[in-house]
Amino acid sequence: MGDVVRYDPSFARRSDVVGHLGLSPEQKLTSALCMLAYGSPADQLDDYMRMGKSTVLEVFRKFCRAIVGMYSSTYLRAPTPADLRILLHKASQRGFPGMIGSIDCMHWEWRNCPTSWTGQYLGHNCKPTIILEAVASYNTWIWHAFFGPPGSNNDINVLGMSPVFDGVLNGSTPRVRFEVNGHTYDQCYYLDDGIYPSWSTLVKTLSNPSSNKEALFARCQEAHRKDVERAFGILQARWAILRGPARSWDVATINDIMLTCIILHNMIIEDEQVDSDDEMEDNLDYEVHDQQPTNVDRDIPTLTEYLARNNRLRAAPTHHGLRRDLVEHIWNLHGNN
């Protein structure tokens, strides 16, 4: 509450022209949190919060903008080298060295979508929807959130618009080196479902396993890929406003609502469970190094490097080779169980 009041002075309690005290910060924040947590309409809070409908809506929009403005850099950041150490350690324990999360998309219905935009936003359930692409880790922390593509797109279209791999292409992500089945790799990867392309930074399941090794890999991959599905479920269970259709009229407000729920979700995870380097082992089978960001400009050498990174990112042979190594690695770990 103190951060919000300092960020936006309109949340502070003020006097009117005749000296009467106005609404307190506690009233304003409680009304906004009630709308997020319970999905309450604005006019339902009149008697409880002693606030008018228009005031509740104005406070709600300002609260969401304040949360996004203050905490995005902290709770919607990319993993730092310290974060990567923890993520890679946990993934290695689960049988997937080099894995830093799972990626998937979620649709949020938009009830008040303008009629002229309905065709563009018409989703898979024949209703206007807006898509959220997210990356979640083992503890359902959401490391990446890209919200806003119309519901008529599929996961591949959203991936093409998403900035999820911009850091890889620009060379600004930490360099990671790990070993799987005797082969060395230098790019982390996400687990995904079958619709995603065969890129070196994505590992899909095997839809038709032909051996016990492949069947075991498919079970493990599908089980751990559910991290992002669990994150979506917890997000909707914790913030009821996301379970029902979005009632706002403009995309900017809906975007602020979604990002606010994700930021508060990550805050709660940070408060409930904290991992640190203290539990890390000394003999790690991967290396994490800081890498300074490289700005992409019109210079030919830099453009060449950018295109080389893009080719490495989309390399299907690396994807299939990594998946074969993971099949053998998981079989060696759990095949006799």
Side-chain angles (χ1 to χ4, degrees):
M1 182 176 66
D3 290 345
V4 172
V5 171
R6 285 187 291 271
Y7 183 87
D8 188 347
S10 66
F11 280 88
R13 193 166 198 173
R14 295 175 294 181
S15 302
D16 58 17
V17 293
V18 295
H20 293 163
L21 289 176
L23 299 170
S24 66
E26 289 84 355
Q27 285 177 283
K28 297 174 182 178
L29 265 68
T30 303
S31 67
L33 290 172
C34 281
M35 292 186 68
L36 291 173
Y38 305 123
S40 305
D43 54 3
Q44 188 177 350
L45 301 173
D46 288 355
D47 295 335
Y48 180 63
M49 301 305 307
R50 302 297 183 184
M51 298 171 63
K53 176 182 177 180
S54 60
T55 305
V56 172
L57 290 175
E58 180 183 2
V59 167
F60 178 69
R61 295 189 188 98
K62 289 183 176 180
F63 174 79
C64 292
R65 284 197 297 267
I67 294 297
V68 174
M70 288 188 299
Y71 299 121
S72 290
S73 59
T74 302
Y75 293 97
L76 284 180
R77 71 182 189 277
T80 63
D83 297 325
L84 283 175
R85 283 179 57 85
I86 298 174
L87 294 175
L88 292 169
H89 178 70
K90 293 290 186 181
S92 181
Q93 289 181 327
R94 302 167 80 183
F96 285 89
M99 186 265 290
I100 55 174
S102 52
I103 185 171
D104 204 357
C105 292
M106 180 187 83
H107 289 251
W108 189 18
E109 183 182 342
W110 188 8
R111 175 181 295 174
N112 292 326
C113 176
T115 304
S116 57
W117 295 0
T118 301
Q120 180 183 3
Y121 283 86
L122 203 64
H124 60 283
N125 57 354
C126 298
K127 294 181 180 179
T129 60
I130 305 177
I131 299 176
L132 167 68
E133 179 193 71
V135 170
S137 57
Y138 67 97
N139 58 354
T140 69
W141 181 291
I142 297 177
W143 292 101
H144 159 77
F146 175 56
F147 182 73
S152 58
N153 293 284
N154 59 21
D155 292 8
I156 299 178
N157 304 138
V158 176
L159 182 65
M161 296 182 280
S162 169
V164 63
F165 293 125
D166 283 1
V168 177
L169 296 175
N170 296 333
S172 59
T173 56
R175 291 177 292 127
V176 176
R177 188 177 300 275
F178 59 95
E179 186 175 313
V180 184
N181 195 35
H183 296 93
T184 302
Y185 297 90
D186 59 0
Q187 284 193 138
C188 298
Y189 59 88
Y190 302 126
L191 302 181
D192 62 348
D193 56 21
I195 191 175
Y196 282 87
S198 299
W199 290 0
S200 62
T201 50
L202 300 172
V203 171
K204 300 190 288 187
T205 186
L206 293 166
S207 56
N208 296 304
S210 58
S211 64
N212 292 334
K213 291 182 180 180
E214 293 182 352
L216 177 62
F217 167 79
R219 288 199 303 271
C220 293
Q221 195 273 354
E222 292 166 7
H224 297 317
R225 189 189 65 80
K226 295 298 182 182
D227 290 342
V228 67
E229 300 287 354
R230 291 193 299 117
F232 290 151
I234 294 172
L235 197 65
Q236 291 178 320
R238 183 169 281 155
W239 308 110
I241 194 171
L242 301 182
R243 290 204 299 270
R247 297 189 294 265
S248 298
W249 292 95
D250 59 290
V251 179
T253 300
I254 299 175
N255 180 75
D256 288 340
I257 294 171
M258 176 62 75
L259 295 183
T260 298
C261 292
I262 293 173
I263 290 170
L264 297 177
H265 166 82
N266 287 344
M267 283 184 179
I268 295 171
I269 292 176
E270 181 185 58
D271 183 66
E272 291 179 346
Q273 51 188 11
V274 178
D275 294 310
S276 65
D277 287 339
D278 297 339
E279 60 183 56
M280 297 295 134
E281 300 175 359
D282 293 332
N283 53 343
L284 298 176
D285 55 353
Y286 48 81
E287 301 175 4
V288 181
H289 304 283
D290 252 330
Q291 182 168 334
Q292 296 299 324
T294 301
N295 295 325
V296 177
D297 53 27
R298 295 291 182 179
D299 295 337
I300 293 177
T302 306
L303 179 59
T304 303
E305 293 174 2
Y306 180 88
L307 294 177
R309 295 190 194 103
N310 185 65
N311 291 334
R312 290 178 59 242
L313 173 68
R314 299 169 182 262
T318 305
H319 166 86
H320 296 299
L322 175 59
R323 188 165 63 176
R324 285 194 298 270
D325 288 336
L326 287 172
V327 169
E328 296 294 333
H329 177 75
I330 292 176
W331 180 257
N332 293 334
L333 288 177
H334 308 295
N336 296 324
N337 296 338

